[in-house]
């Protein structure tokens, strides 16, 4: 069964304390890996798409990287406004249509 | 910017009622999706559509149906609402990838 696993489930950081979130998936050759940010009571907001191992994308304090079996979302010197749930999703090779499989998310809390 | 609009932010219905959740997108996207999001279970795909009048079952279609009569509108229907359908429902649309989400409807079935 196609699965996406995110770790840790929750992360508490002090402002300025850099850390990384992990997203692992079960097969290689995926068609795309997507990172989203979700604030409480809102829908997921698209952040990054990664397609091949070695690829990296950056946006402000966030940097996403991809290997053959996992992706990392690095948060550098986080601020309280980076507090959110970060979701990872994978489009598997045999997925019908443009179906995505989502991980359970990592809840990030950045304290001032 | 892509805009996906869900008709209600909060909805309270009774067991056995027929419930309609509406979603509209303004980017002429072919693909539209309905998910539900529950604590500890993440986002699970209910149904998706890749064209007008076309629909495909997702991972958890039981108890739901959908309608797509116009390209911009995708409706989720709970035929006979049950308490285990209390959840956050999210609609998304895409041309190919990525999917863009609305802000969700929090549905409570009493």
């Amino acid at each position: 069964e196609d699965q996406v696993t995110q770790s840790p489930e929750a992360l508490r950081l002090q402002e300025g304390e850099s850390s990384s979130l992990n997203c692992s998936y079960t097969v290689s050759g995926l068609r795309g890996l997507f990172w989203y940010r979700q604030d409480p009571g809102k829908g997921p907001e698209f952040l990054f798409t990664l397609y091949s191992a070695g690829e990296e994308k950056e946006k402000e304090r966030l940097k996403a990287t991809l290997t053959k079996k996992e992706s990392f979302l690095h948060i550098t010197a986080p601020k309280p406004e980076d507090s959110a749930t970060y979701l990872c999703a994978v489009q598997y090779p045999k997925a019908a249509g443009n179906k995505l499989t989502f991980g359970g998310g990592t809840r990030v809390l950045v304290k001032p | 910017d892509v805009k996906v609009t869900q008709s209600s932010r909060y909805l309270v219905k009774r067991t056995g009622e027929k419930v309609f959740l509406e979603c509209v997108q303004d980017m002429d996207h072919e693909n539209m999706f309905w998910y539900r999001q529950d604590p500890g279970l993440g986002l699970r795909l209910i149904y998706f559509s890749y064209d007008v009048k076309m629909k495909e079952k997702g991972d958890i279609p039981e108890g739901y149906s959908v309608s797509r009569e116009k390209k911009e509108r995708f409706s989720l229907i709970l035929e006979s609402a049950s308490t285990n359908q209390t959840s956050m429902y999210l609609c998304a649309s895409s041309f190919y990838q990525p999917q863009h989400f609305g802000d969700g409807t929090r549905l409570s079935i009493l």
Side-chain angles (χ1 to χ4, degrees), chain B residues 12 17 22 70 72 74 88 95:
Chain B
V12 179
E17 280 192 71
E22 307 285 345
K70 293 185 177 181
E72 68 270 18
F74 193 34
M88 169 73 103
F95 176 64

Side-chain angles (χ1 to χ4, degrees), chain A:
Chain A
E1 181 185 331
D2 297 335
Q3 284 191 329
V4 179
T5 303
Q6 291 188 246
S7 62
E9 287 187 13
L11 194 57
R12 294 167 66 98
L13 301 171
Q14 287 297 130
E15 185 172 1
E17 179 189 0
S18 301
S19 189
S20 296
L21 284 55
N22 179 263
C23 171
S24 63
Y25 45 92
T26 52
V27 298
S28 59
L30 50 80
R31 289 162 63 184
L33 184 140
F34 306 86
W35 282 99
Y36 288 84
R37 169 194 169 120
Q38 186 174 23
D39 293 301
K42 308 274 261 180
E45 176 189 349
F46 169 69
L47 292 173
F48 303 111
T49 305
L50 300 166
Y51 288 109
S52 54
E55 190 174 357
E56 298 182 352
K57 294 275 180 73
E58 278 190 77
K59 180 179 180 180
E60 296 181 356
R61 294 175 293 282
L62 300 178
K63 179 176 165 181
T65 62
L66 183 64
T67 71
K68 287 186 177 180
K69 282 291 173 68
E70 59 191 347
S71 176
F72 293 94
L73 184 66
H74 308 279
I75 310 178
T76 302
K79 298 183 177 181
E81 52 262 43
D82 295 322
S83 298
T85 296
Y86 291 87
L87 300 171
C88 168
V90 168
Q91 185 176 6
Y92 277 105
K94 296 181 180 178
N98 296 304
K99 179 185 170 185
L100 296 179
T101 301
F102 280 84
T106 295
R107 294 189 313 278
V108 174
L109 176 64
V110 182
K111 304 189 81 174

Side-chain angles (χ1 to χ4, degrees), chain A residues 98, chain B residues 3-5 22-26 28-35 45 47-51 54-56 66-68 70-75 90-95 99-100:
Chain A
N98 296 304
Chain B
K3 189 156 181 67
V4 179
T5 303
E22 307 285 345
C23 175
V24 176
Q25 50 95 3
D26 67 353
D28 203 35
H29 286 162
E30 278 86 6
N31 303 296
M32 297 189 74
F33 307 81
W34 275 107
Y35 295 85
L45 182 64
Y47 267 97
F48 64 99
S49 168
Y50 51 88
D51 201 354
M54 306 301 289
K55 60 186 179 184
E56 293 279 347
V66 290
S67 172
R68 192 161 181 207
K70 293 185 177 181
K71 193 174 186 180
E72 68 270 18
R73 186 179 297 270
F74 193 34
S75 302
L90 290 161
C91 174
S93 75
S94 72
F95 176 64
Q99 294 178 19
H100 297 273

